[in-house]
Amino acid sequence: MSDAETSDEFEPVEVFPEAESGGMDLRSGADDCYKCSTCDSECPVAAVDDDFPGPKFQGPEQWRLKRKGDQDIDDSVMNCSNCMRCDSACPSDVPLSQMHNTARGTFVENRMEKFSREYVRNRILSNYGTLAWFGSKAPRLANAVMSSSVVQTINEKVMGITAEREFPEFAEQTFRAWWEERGGARVQSDEKRVAYFHGCYSNYNTPEVGKAMVRVFEEFGYEVMVPPQKCSGTPMFANGMLPDARRAAETNVAELSTAIEDGADVIASCTSCSLSLRQEYPELFDLEGIEDVSAHTYEALEYLRIHEDLSGALAESEVDSRKFAYHAPCHARNQGLAGQALELLEGVEGAEAEDVGDSCSGISGTYGWKTEKYDTSMKIGAEMFHHMEDAEPDAGMTECPTCAMQMEHGTGYEIRHPLQVVEDALLG
Amino acid sequence: MAIEDDVLVIGGGLAGATAAIAAARGGAAVRLVTYKENTLRNASGLIDVLGYHGSDEPIAEPFEAIPDLPDEHPYRKVGVDAVRESLALFDEITEDFYEGSHTETNALSPTYGGRVKPTSRYPASAAAGLASRLEETLLVGFETVTTFDAPLAAERLDSSVPFDVRGVTIPFPGDYRADARITRLAGALDADDVLDRQRRIGTREVLAARVAEHLGNAERVGFPAILGDHEPREVRESLESELGVPVFEVPMGPPSLPGMRLEDRLERALDEEGVRVEAGNPVVGYDEDDGRITAAYVDRGRRRVPYHAEQVVLATGGLVGKGIDSDREGVTEPVFDCHVPQSEDRYEWFHDEVFDDQPYARFGVRVDEDLRPLSSNGKPEFANLRATGAVLGDYDLAREKSGSGVSLSTGLVAGRRASEDLQHNE
Ligand SMILES: Cc1cc2nc3c(=O)[nH]c(=O)nc-3n(C[C@H](O)[C@H](O)[C@H](O)COP(=O)(O)OP(=O)(O)OC[C@H]3O[C@@H](n4cnc5c(N)ncnc54)[C@H](O)[C@@H]3O)c2cc1C
Ligand code: SF4
Ligand code: SF4
């Protein structure tokens, strides 16, 4: 029997007991704020951007203002990167990121010109999956086009997408194509089953992470399912594209619910994906089965730690001697998973891992891709870059694909996913 | 049973960190799980052991006063020696970052409200400000930092200390929004942001020049505690060399940079002792077998994950840290539902005068000599659970000025005993 207990009775999201028609009432959440400013002192954007009024204003204060009159949402909410650090800081449990997500949605809907360059750019960036889908059809061509200086200049000048960054390469073969070619699951089991939520990035850009996840889980005797799926919605929340996010959520919740009915738990290799399914979905949408999906979703290593003797298995393993500089993504922190990868690697002979500190990497998904946000993003990341350089690792390590991009961009190191390291250790 | 340790500490404030370090030093494999940020960010960063008891006169010798405290007081449970030892542990962890270990006598530190407060350990950055140094003092406030009104604080201080105190308010150098966060200003001092490119003058130099205009005969200068986030010593030293007099920080309320700096030190110490720290999710329940806790459940979103341990330390804080909950029905300890002594009649929870000895301030779990929470019949609730810090009742940290001392000493004892009990079981 599973050692983890999933509570059967779900309490609806209690932060808005008085949900009003057409919108959520965040008053009780706002009332819990006692203005201690802890959230402000944890906000990485506020730390480097003097014009950003910080989470306390974006959350409870803006809500109070808005309720008083017809006060518009302040445009500064678009400068929040949705790192959700303020959430984990607040001693009084104020649902800050939920307030920000909702406010951003309202702002984009009511105040953003739908033909403006910013809107179009944000829409494209937040629908990265669609872009990647095209890219995956002819990866070599797409890679060549995206890295050409002409396209980069157009991106920069016309779209407002920074030319400072290298566009991530599309894989020759997507994870899903590999999965099909392989003939799907190699382990069948009625008792141990997981549905893999691979997300866009490990499907189109880093299928090796998805493959590592499959091999590791099969090693532990799990039947892996790969249900149809859309983007988790993370970039959409961050850009206030709530209707897009809702559409994606409808598909994901329906498909994952079916898998759960078939006896599977949902696992993700990207910490933003797991956070989105777990926390943001039920906070923002009211869909049939959403609570169930939330309750059954885990990050991949978290799942093995709870259900298997993963550290025991790793204690008997060995890897070629290698030192990693580990960065815990904000969204891993938020789920209480920040120390997990380091703890696991402690037991692996040959692997050495050093934490590069608790600063935010600064890229926050699409945030650091925007021309006007690029400098802020790099300023936030500076602390992490310094720590990485001090650590002199053989490679970097993190769970989040965009944090990995930022780590590589700022330091030049190759970056691995902990699942890949675990795969090396267990399967050689 | 995937997640298993010898000792599980619940709560990552001063009490939980001390307990975890003490248990790890006793040889235990320790895990610390904590929910949100602890109260160090709100606290001043001063380490108070005992400032007042029974009267408005500050206590000079806290260790001598401890035996006079009531029997139920946490200090009486752990004993004076444990309080001393816990401070020694604190001194070791904080190294040159804190001062005050040279004496058992309380120091008097100025507060941002313009009073002096008895305390046992103070950040090195506050050292030059102590009232025992009879030096003429200039307090400097910033227009945008409204939580510190330097002229007012100076006026109040001046009337209660035997040296002259003046206060001025100046603009912070550089171009900041009117309500810029203090972390932002501290960061500008850390980085010494260049303000005049041609003459290559940085923030620190401009600040010193503005202060110098008001220096007069002052023999030291005090600022609100915003002198650097990561490099406080460097910032202070460069201001001192520009001004030619000692510079100090006046401890501030939330968000407190000295508190945050202390937090960093504690994190590092936990790491060095090999304590596994997990932050972000609360403990919400437990399994019990024959009077012992066998697992504590961590709430990860909509699922509960069991954490197994032989010994458990509860360090979840008081009403502010959410270790103690209150509603119309009563006052409770929400994790293990430990008994919290309270009057049946809610009207007896508080007295009319705010500064009276308030019963609610003493709310918390009651423990035995071994720091085990006691149920209403006076028996330990669980054989392997100890409680420490602000979750404890029977003391009034705000009135006594004893918060940090109680957290440190009960944390030390709880952590030690938890690791000793493991050895007994072997
Ligand atoms: C505004 C303020 C000012 C203060 N000023 C001073 C001062 O000047 N000098 C002084 O000596 N003392 C001061 N104190 C008191 C001092 O900070 C505290 O007494 C002491 O630090 C409390 O430490 P603690 O570890 O017991 O609790 P806390 O610091 O409250 O830590 C408790 C931790 O437990 C976590 N937690 C709570 N519930 C759970 C759960 N269910 N599961 C997991 N984790 C949980 C919380 O998130 C928190 O991180 C002040 C306190 C406050 C509030
Ligand atoms: S941390 Fe929470 S209580 Fe404190 S100011 Fe921010 S929202 Fe308010
Ligand atoms: S989500 Fe991150 S960037 Fe946005 S307000 Fe909160 S801490 Fe700041």
Short mmCIF file of all heavy atoms in Angstrom, two decimals, chain A residues 3 5 34 41-42 46-47 50-53 87 90 93 278 291 294-295 297-298 302 305 335-336 343 346, chain B residues 1-2 31 35-37 41-42 175-177 181 184 254 276 278-279 281 300 302-306 308 322:
data_model
loop_
_atom_site.label_atom_id
_atom_site.label_comp_id
_atom_site.label_asym_id
_atom_site.label_seq_id
_atom_site.Cartn_x
_atom_site.Cartn_y
_atom_site.Cartn_z
N ASP A 3 2.40 4.67 0.93
CA ASP A 3 2.65 5.29 2.21
C ASP A 3 2.11 6.72 2.26
O ASP A 3 1.91 7.29 3.32
CB ASP A 3 4.17 5.29 2.46
CG ASP A 3 4.47 5.37 3.93
OD1 ASP A 3 3.56 5.10 4.73
OD2 ASP A 3 5.61 5.70 4.27
N GLU A 5 -0.60 9.54 1.92
CA GLU A 5 -2.04 9.54 2.14
C GLU A 5 -2.64 10.70 1.37
O GLU A 5 -2.19 11.82 1.46
CB GLU A 5 -2.29 9.73 3.63
CG GLU A 5 -3.75 9.74 3.96
CD GLU A 5 -3.91 9.95 5.45
OE1 GLU A 5 -3.39 9.13 6.21
OE2 GLU A 5 -4.52 10.96 5.82
N TYR A 34 -0.98 41.62 7.44
CA TYR A 34 -0.74 42.58 8.53
C TYR A 34 0.45 43.48 8.21
O TYR A 34 1.07 44.03 9.10
CB TYR A 34 -0.62 41.89 9.89
CG TYR A 34 0.56 40.97 10.08
CD1 TYR A 34 1.64 41.35 10.88
CD2 TYR A 34 0.61 39.73 9.48
CE1 TYR A 34 2.72 40.52 11.06
CE2 TYR A 34 1.71 38.88 9.65
CZ TYR A 34 2.75 39.29 10.45
OH TYR A 34 3.85 38.46 10.63
N SER A 41 10.39 41.86 0.98
CA SER A 41 11.83 41.65 1.14
C SER A 41 12.28 40.38 0.44
O SER A 41 13.46 40.15 0.28
CB SER A 41 12.21 41.63 2.62
OG SER A 41 11.62 40.54 3.27
N GLU A 42 11.36 39.54 0.01
CA GLU A 42 11.73 38.30 -0.70
C GLU A 42 11.57 38.43 -2.22
O GLU A 42 11.94 37.53 -2.95
CB GLU A 42 10.82 37.16 -0.24
CG GLU A 42 11.28 36.49 1.02
CD GLU A 42 12.53 35.65 0.80
OE1 GLU A 42 12.42 34.58 0.19
OE2 GLU A 42 13.61 36.07 1.24
N ALA A 46 11.52 43.27 -7.11
CA ALA A 46 11.60 44.49 -6.30
C ALA A 46 13.03 44.77 -5.86
O ALA A 46 13.42 45.92 -5.69
CB ALA A 46 10.68 44.38 -5.09
N ALA A 47 13.81 43.71 -5.69
CA ALA A 47 15.18 43.92 -5.21
C ALA A 47 16.04 44.65 -6.23
O ALA A 47 17.01 45.30 -5.86
CB ALA A 47 15.81 42.57 -4.85
N ASP A 50 13.60 49.40 -9.11
CA ASP A 50 13.09 50.40 -8.18
C ASP A 50 11.65 50.80 -8.48
O ASP A 50 10.94 51.28 -7.62
CB ASP A 50 14.02 51.62 -8.25
CG ASP A 50 13.77 52.53 -7.07
OD1 ASP A 50 13.47 52.00 -5.99
OD2 ASP A 50 13.88 53.75 -7.25
N ASP A 51 11.23 50.60 -9.72
CA ASP A 51 9.88 51.03 -10.07
C ASP A 51 8.81 50.00 -9.75
O ASP A 51 7.63 50.27 -9.89
CB ASP A 51 9.80 51.35 -11.57
CG ASP A 51 10.59 52.60 -11.89
OD1 ASP A 51 10.63 53.48 -11.02
OD2 ASP A 51 11.17 52.67 -12.99
N PHE A 52 9.23 48.83 -9.36
CA PHE A 52 8.25 47.79 -9.08
C PHE A 52 7.79 47.90 -7.63
O PHE A 52 8.59 47.80 -6.71
CB PHE A 52 8.87 46.41 -9.34
CG PHE A 52 7.89 45.30 -9.16
CD1 PHE A 52 6.75 45.23 -9.95
CD2 PHE A 52 8.09 44.31 -8.21
CE1 PHE A 52 5.83 44.20 -9.78
CE2 PHE A 52 7.18 43.28 -8.04
CZ PHE A 52 6.05 43.22 -8.83
N PRO A 53 6.51 48.16 -7.42
CA PRO A 53 6.06 48.41 -6.04
C PRO A 53 6.01 47.18 -5.14
O PRO A 53 5.81 47.33 -3.94
CB PRO A 53 4.66 49.01 -6.22
CG PRO A 53 4.25 48.75 -7.60
CD PRO A 53 5.44 48.38 -8.42
N ASP A 87 4.59 34.13 -2.15
CA ASP A 87 3.69 33.13 -1.59
C ASP A 87 4.33 32.37 -0.45
O ASP A 87 3.74 32.18 0.60
CB ASP A 87 3.37 32.08 -2.67
CG ASP A 87 1.98 32.24 -3.21
OD1 ASP A 87 1.33 33.24 -2.88
OD2 ASP A 87 1.55 31.37 -3.99
N CYS A 90 5.05 34.68 2.92
CA CYS A 90 4.06 35.32 3.79
C CYS A 90 3.72 34.48 5.01
O CYS A 90 3.19 33.39 4.89
CB CYS A 90 2.78 35.61 3.01
SG CYS A 90 1.48 36.25 4.09
N ASP A 93 -0.11 33.60 5.32
CA ASP A 93 -0.84 32.80 4.35
C ASP A 93 -1.71 33.58 3.38
O ASP A 93 -2.72 33.08 2.89
CB ASP A 93 -1.76 31.81 5.09
CG ASP A 93 -1.20 30.41 5.01
OD1 ASP A 93 -0.33 30.19 4.16
OD2 ASP A 93 -1.64 29.56 5.80
N ARG A 278 -0.82 21.46 -9.56
CA ARG A 278 -1.12 21.30 -8.15
C ARG A 278 -1.81 22.50 -7.54
O ARG A 278 -2.75 22.38 -6.80
CB ARG A 278 0.20 21.20 -7.40
CG ARG A 278 0.62 19.89 -7.11
CD ARG A 278 2.05 20.05 -6.63
NE ARG A 278 2.19 19.12 -5.58
CZ ARG A 278 3.33 18.58 -5.18
NH1 ARG A 278 4.44 18.94 -5.69
NH2 ARG A 278 3.38 17.73 -4.27
N GLU A 291 -9.62 19.15 -8.70
CA GLU A 291 -9.10 18.86 -7.36
C GLU A 291 -8.41 17.50 -7.35
O GLU A 291 -7.39 17.30 -6.69
CB GLU A 291 -10.24 18.86 -6.34
CG GLU A 291 -10.77 20.24 -6.00
CD GLU A 291 -9.76 21.07 -5.21
OE1 GLU A 291 -8.76 20.50 -4.72
OE2 GLU A 291 -9.97 22.29 -5.10
N SER A 294 -5.07 17.81 -9.03
CA SER A 294 -4.17 18.48 -8.10
C SER A 294 -3.66 17.51 -7.04
O SER A 294 -2.47 17.43 -6.75
CB SER A 294 -4.90 19.65 -7.44
OG SER A 294 -4.17 20.13 -6.36
N ALA A 295 -4.57 16.74 -6.48
CA ALA A 295 -4.20 15.83 -5.39
C ALA A 295 -3.32 14.68 -5.84
O ALA A 295 -2.60 14.10 -5.05
CB ALA A 295 -5.45 15.29 -4.73
N THR A 297 -0.98 14.88 -8.35
CA THR A 297 0.20 15.29 -9.09
C THR A 297 1.43 15.41 -8.19
O THR A 297 1.35 15.95 -7.09
CB THR A 297 -0.05 16.65 -9.79
OG1 THR A 297 -1.16 16.50 -10.66
CG2 THR A 297 1.16 17.08 -10.59
N TYR A 298 2.55 14.92 -8.70
CA TYR A 298 3.82 14.97 -7.98
C TYR A 298 4.94 15.34 -8.93
O TYR A 298 4.86 15.10 -10.13
CB TYR A 298 4.18 13.59 -7.40
CG TYR A 298 3.21 13.05 -6.40
CD1 TYR A 298 2.02 12.46 -6.81
CD2 TYR A 298 3.49 13.11 -5.05
CE1 TYR A 298 1.13 11.94 -5.89
CE2 TYR A 298 2.60 12.59 -4.12
CZ TYR A 298 1.42 12.01 -4.54
OH TYR A 298 0.55 11.51 -3.63
N GLU A 302 10.20 13.53 -6.22
CA GLU A 302 9.39 13.58 -5.00
C GLU A 302 8.57 12.29 -4.89
O GLU A 302 8.49 11.68 -3.83
CB GLU A 302 8.44 14.79 -5.08
CG GLU A 302 7.44 14.85 -3.95
CD GLU A 302 6.32 15.87 -4.18
OE1 GLU A 302 6.03 16.19 -5.35
OE2 GLU A 302 5.74 16.32 -3.19
N ARG A 305 10.68 9.35 -3.94
CA ARG A 305 11.12 9.45 -2.54
C ARG A 305 10.02 9.02 -1.59
O ARG A 305 10.28 8.45 -0.55
CB ARG A 305 11.48 10.90 -2.21
CG ARG A 305 12.90 11.26 -2.50
CD ARG A 305 13.11 12.68 -2.09
NE ARG A 305 13.41 12.79 -0.68
CZ ARG A 305 13.08 13.84 0.06
NH1 ARG A 305 12.40 14.84 -0.46
NH2 ARG A 305 13.42 13.89 1.32
N GLN A 335 7.14 24.29 -3.65
CA GLN A 335 6.52 23.00 -3.32
C GLN A 335 7.26 22.29 -2.20
O GLN A 335 6.99 21.14 -1.91
CB GLN A 335 6.50 22.10 -4.57
CG GLN A 335 5.62 22.65 -5.68
CD GLN A 335 5.87 21.93 -7.00
OE1 GLN A 335 5.35 20.85 -7.21
NE2 GLN A 335 6.66 22.51 -7.87
N GLY A 336 8.25 22.99 -1.62
CA GLY A 336 9.01 22.36 -0.54
C GLY A 336 10.01 21.35 -1.06
O GLY A 336 10.40 20.43 -0.35
N GLU A 343 19.97 16.37 -1.47
CA GLU A 343 19.90 15.32 -0.48
C GLU A 343 20.08 13.95 -1.14
O GLU A 343 20.79 13.08 -0.64
CB GLU A 343 18.54 15.41 0.20
CG GLU A 343 18.43 14.54 1.42
CD GLU A 343 17.05 14.68 2.05
OE1 GLU A 343 16.51 15.80 2.13
OE2 GLU A 343 16.52 13.64 2.47
N GLU A 346 23.68 13.31 -2.26
CA GLU A 346 24.62 13.08 -1.16
C GLU A 346 25.02 11.61 -1.10
O GLU A 346 26.15 11.27 -0.77
CB GLU A 346 23.93 13.40 0.18
CG GLU A 346 24.24 14.74 0.76
CD GLU A 346 23.35 15.00 1.98
OE1 GLU A 346 23.02 14.05 2.71
OE2 GLU A 346 22.97 16.17 2.16
N MET B 1 8.41 3.25 4.00
CA MET B 1 8.79 4.40 4.83
C MET B 1 9.96 5.11 4.18
O MET B 1 11.11 4.80 4.45
CB MET B 1 9.18 3.92 6.22
CG MET B 1 7.99 3.44 7.01
SD MET B 1 8.10 3.91 8.73
CE MET B 1 9.59 3.10 9.25
N ALA B 2 9.66 5.99 3.27
CA ALA B 2 10.72 6.56 2.46
C ALA B 2 11.43 7.71 3.16
O ALA B 2 12.65 7.80 3.13
CB ALA B 2 10.16 7.02 1.13
N ARG B 31 16.13 16.24 10.50
CA ARG B 31 15.45 16.95 9.43
C ARG B 31 14.62 18.07 10.04
O ARG B 31 13.96 17.87 11.07
CB ARG B 31 14.54 16.03 8.63
CG ARG B 31 13.90 16.71 7.42
CD ARG B 31 12.97 15.79 6.68
NE ARG B 31 13.64 14.60 6.20
CZ ARG B 31 14.32 14.51 5.05
NH1 ARG B 31 14.42 15.56 4.27
NH2 ARG B 31 14.89 13.39 4.70
N TYR B 35 7.35 25.89 7.60
CA TYR B 35 6.33 26.36 6.68
C TYR B 35 6.77 27.65 5.98
O TYR B 35 7.32 27.62 4.90
CB TYR B 35 5.04 26.54 7.48
CG TYR B 35 3.81 26.86 6.68
CD1 TYR B 35 3.73 26.55 5.33
CD2 TYR B 35 2.70 27.44 7.29
CE1 TYR B 35 2.58 26.84 4.61
CE2 TYR B 35 1.55 27.72 6.56
CZ TYR B 35 1.51 27.42 5.23
OH TYR B 35 0.38 27.72 4.52
N LYS B 36 6.58 28.77 6.64
CA LYS B 36 6.87 30.05 6.00
C LYS B 36 8.09 30.68 6.65
O LYS B 36 8.77 30.06 7.44
CB LYS B 36 5.65 30.97 6.16
CG LYS B 36 4.39 30.35 5.60
CD LYS B 36 4.27 30.58 4.13
CE LYS B 36 3.01 29.94 3.59
NZ LYS B 36 2.45 30.53 2.44
N GLU B 37 8.29 31.94 6.33
CA GLU B 37 9.38 32.67 6.97
C GLU B 37 9.13 32.75 8.48
O GLU B 37 7.99 32.84 8.92
CB GLU B 37 9.49 34.08 6.39
CG GLU B 37 9.88 34.12 4.94
CD GLU B 37 11.27 33.59 4.67
OE1 GLU B 37 12.03 33.39 5.63
OE2 GLU B 37 11.60 33.38 3.49
N ARG B 41 12.57 37.90 10.80
CA ARG B 41 12.44 39.04 9.89
C ARG B 41 11.66 40.18 10.50
O ARG B 41 11.70 41.30 10.02
CB ARG B 41 11.71 38.61 8.62
CG ARG B 41 12.63 37.95 7.71
CD ARG B 41 11.91 37.22 6.64
NE ARG B 41 12.91 36.46 5.97
CZ ARG B 41 13.44 36.78 4.80
NH1 ARG B 41 12.98 37.81 4.13
NH2 ARG B 41 14.40 36.08 4.28
N ASN B 42 10.89 39.87 11.52
CA ASN B 42 10.13 40.92 12.20
C ASN B 42 10.86 41.43 13.42
O ASN B 42 10.67 42.55 13.85
CB ASN B 42 8.78 40.39 12.68
CG ASN B 42 7.92 39.90 11.54
OD1 ASN B 42 8.25 40.12 10.39
ND2 ASN B 42 6.84 39.24 11.86
N ASP B 175 18.46 58.29 -6.57
CA ASP B 175 17.13 58.59 -7.05
C ASP B 175 16.23 57.40 -6.79
O ASP B 175 16.26 56.43 -7.54
CB ASP B 175 17.27 58.84 -8.57
CG ASP B 175 16.16 59.71 -9.06
OD1 ASP B 175 15.45 60.27 -8.22
OD2 ASP B 175 16.02 59.80 -10.29
N TYR B 176 15.46 57.44 -5.71
CA TYR B 176 14.60 56.30 -5.40
C TYR B 176 13.16 56.74 -5.26
O TYR B 176 12.90 57.87 -4.91
CB TYR B 176 15.06 55.60 -4.12
CG TYR B 176 16.43 55.02 -4.26
CD1 TYR B 176 17.55 55.73 -3.84
CD2 TYR B 176 16.59 53.80 -4.88
CE1 TYR B 176 18.81 55.21 -4.02
CE2 TYR B 176 17.85 53.27 -5.08
CZ TYR B 176 18.96 53.98 -4.64
OH TYR B 176 20.20 53.48 -4.84
N ARG B 177 12.26 55.81 -5.53
CA ARG B 177 10.85 56.14 -5.36
C ARG B 177 10.61 56.46 -3.87
O ARG B 177 11.35 56.03 -2.99
CB ARG B 177 9.97 55.00 -5.81
CG ARG B 177 10.29 53.67 -5.13
CD ARG B 177 9.49 52.53 -5.69
NE ARG B 177 8.08 52.69 -5.41
CZ ARG B 177 7.13 52.48 -6.31
NH1 ARG B 177 7.46 52.14 -7.54
NH2 ARG B 177 5.87 52.62 -6.00
N ARG B 181 11.77 50.31 -0.76
CA ARG B 181 11.98 49.37 0.35
C ARG B 181 13.37 49.53 0.93
O ARG B 181 14.32 49.84 0.22
CB ARG B 181 11.80 47.95 -0.16
CG ARG B 181 10.38 47.49 -0.20
CD ARG B 181 10.28 46.31 -1.10
NE ARG B 181 10.76 46.68 -2.41
CZ ARG B 181 10.03 47.32 -3.33
NH1 ARG B 181 8.78 47.64 -3.07
NH2 ARG B 181 10.54 47.64 -4.48
N ARG B 184 16.19 47.71 -0.69
CA ARG B 184 16.69 48.37 -1.90
C ARG B 184 17.80 49.37 -1.52
O ARG B 184 18.84 49.43 -2.15
CB ARG B 184 15.52 49.08 -2.56
CG ARG B 184 15.81 49.72 -3.84
CD ARG B 184 15.40 48.84 -5.00
NE ARG B 184 15.73 49.53 -6.24
CZ ARG B 184 16.84 49.33 -6.91
NH1 ARG B 184 17.71 48.42 -6.51
NH2 ARG B 184 17.09 50.00 -8.00
N PRO B 254 9.97 45.33 11.37
CA PRO B 254 9.93 44.58 10.11
C PRO B 254 9.94 45.47 8.88
O PRO B 254 9.32 46.53 8.93
CB PRO B 254 8.62 43.81 10.20
CG PRO B 254 7.78 44.54 11.19
CD PRO B 254 8.73 45.21 12.14
N ARG B 276 19.03 18.45 7.38
CA ARG B 276 18.27 18.55 6.14
C ARG B 276 17.10 19.49 6.35
O ARG B 276 16.28 19.26 7.23
CB ARG B 276 17.77 17.17 5.74
CG ARG B 276 18.95 16.30 5.44
CD ARG B 276 18.60 14.87 5.29
NE ARG B 276 19.67 14.22 4.54
CZ ARG B 276 19.67 12.95 4.23
NH1 ARG B 276 18.67 12.18 4.58
NH2 ARG B 276 20.67 12.43 3.54
N GLU B 278 13.80 21.54 4.91
CA GLU B 278 12.77 21.64 3.88
C GLU B 278 11.81 22.75 4.26
O GLU B 278 11.24 22.71 5.34
CB GLU B 278 11.97 20.35 3.80
CG GLU B 278 12.65 19.27 3.02
CD GLU B 278 11.76 18.04 2.89
OE1 GLU B 278 10.53 18.21 2.81
OE2 GLU B 278 12.30 16.95 2.89
N ALA B 279 11.65 23.70 3.37
CA ALA B 279 10.76 24.81 3.68
C ALA B 279 9.61 24.86 2.68
O ALA B 279 9.77 24.43 1.55
CB ALA B 279 11.54 26.12 3.64
N ASN B 281 6.12 23.91 3.26
CA ASN B 281 4.86 23.22 3.55
C ASN B 281 4.68 23.01 5.05
O ASN B 281 5.65 22.73 5.75
CB ASN B 281 4.84 21.85 2.85
CG ASN B 281 4.96 21.99 1.35
OD1 ASN B 281 4.23 22.74 0.73
ND2 ASN B 281 5.91 21.30 0.78
N ARG B 300 1.46 18.76 1.37
CA ARG B 300 2.01 19.28 0.12
C ARG B 300 0.84 19.50 -0.81
O ARG B 300 0.44 18.61 -1.56
CB ARG B 300 2.97 18.28 -0.49
CG ARG B 300 4.21 18.07 0.34
CD ARG B 300 5.38 17.77 -0.55
NE ARG B 300 6.52 17.34 0.23
CZ ARG B 300 7.35 16.38 -0.16
NH1 ARG B 300 7.16 15.77 -1.30
NH2 ARG B 300 8.37 16.06 0.58
N ARG B 302 -2.53 19.26 -1.98
CA ARG B 302 -3.71 18.48 -1.60
C ARG B 302 -3.38 17.06 -1.22
O ARG B 302 -4.19 16.17 -1.34
CB ARG B 302 -4.74 18.55 -2.72
CG ARG B 302 -5.44 19.90 -2.69
CD ARG B 302 -6.03 20.28 -3.99
NE ARG B 302 -6.71 21.57 -3.89
CZ ARG B 302 -6.09 22.73 -3.87
NH1 ARG B 302 -4.77 22.78 -3.90
NH2 ARG B 302 -6.78 23.84 -3.80
N ARG B 303 -2.16 16.84 -0.79
CA ARG B 303 -1.82 15.51 -0.29
C ARG B 303 -0.97 15.65 0.96
O ARG B 303 -0.36 16.68 1.20
CB ARG B 303 -1.05 14.72 -1.35
CG ARG B 303 0.33 15.26 -1.58
CD ARG B 303 0.93 14.73 -2.82
NE ARG B 303 0.21 15.13 -4.01
CZ ARG B 303 0.05 16.38 -4.41
NH1 ARG B 303 0.50 17.38 -3.66
NH2 ARG B 303 -0.57 16.67 -5.52
N ARG B 304 -0.97 14.59 1.74
CA ARG B 304 -0.22 14.63 2.98
C ARG B 304 0.85 13.56 2.96
O ARG B 304 0.56 12.40 2.73
CB ARG B 304 -1.17 14.41 4.16
CG ARG B 304 -2.18 15.54 4.24
CD ARG B 304 -3.43 15.28 5.08
NE ARG B 304 -3.41 14.12 5.92
CZ ARG B 304 -3.56 14.16 7.25
NH1 ARG B 304 -3.67 15.32 7.86
NH2 ARG B 304 -3.59 13.05 7.94
N VAL B 305 2.09 13.97 3.16
CA VAL B 305 3.22 13.05 3.05
C VAL B 305 3.77 12.76 4.44
O VAL B 305 4.05 13.68 5.20
CB VAL B 305 4.32 13.68 2.16
CG1 VAL B 305 5.53 12.75 2.08
CG2 VAL B 305 3.78 13.97 0.77
N PRO B 306 3.91 11.47 4.78
CA PRO B 306 4.39 11.14 6.13
C PRO B 306 5.90 11.28 6.26
O PRO B 306 6.66 10.87 5.38
CB PRO B 306 3.98 9.67 6.28
CG PRO B 306 3.93 9.14 4.89
CD PRO B 306 3.59 10.28 3.98
N HIS B 308 8.77 10.20 8.92
CA HIS B 308 8.95 9.34 10.09
C HIS B 308 10.17 9.77 10.88
O HIS B 308 11.19 10.15 10.30
CB HIS B 308 9.11 7.89 9.64
CG HIS B 308 7.95 7.41 8.82
ND1 HIS B 308 6.82 6.88 9.39
CD2 HIS B 308 7.73 7.42 7.49
CE1 HIS B 308 5.96 6.57 8.43
NE2 HIS B 308 6.49 6.89 7.26
N LYS B 322 2.17 31.27 14.08
CA LYS B 322 1.07 30.35 13.82
C LYS B 322 1.23 29.00 14.50
O LYS B 322 0.59 28.03 14.12
CB LYS B 322 0.85 30.13 12.31
CG LYS B 322 0.59 31.40 11.54
CD LYS B 322 -0.88 31.63 11.31
CE LYS B 322 -1.05 33.02 10.77
NZ LYS B 322 -2.23 33.61 10.54
#
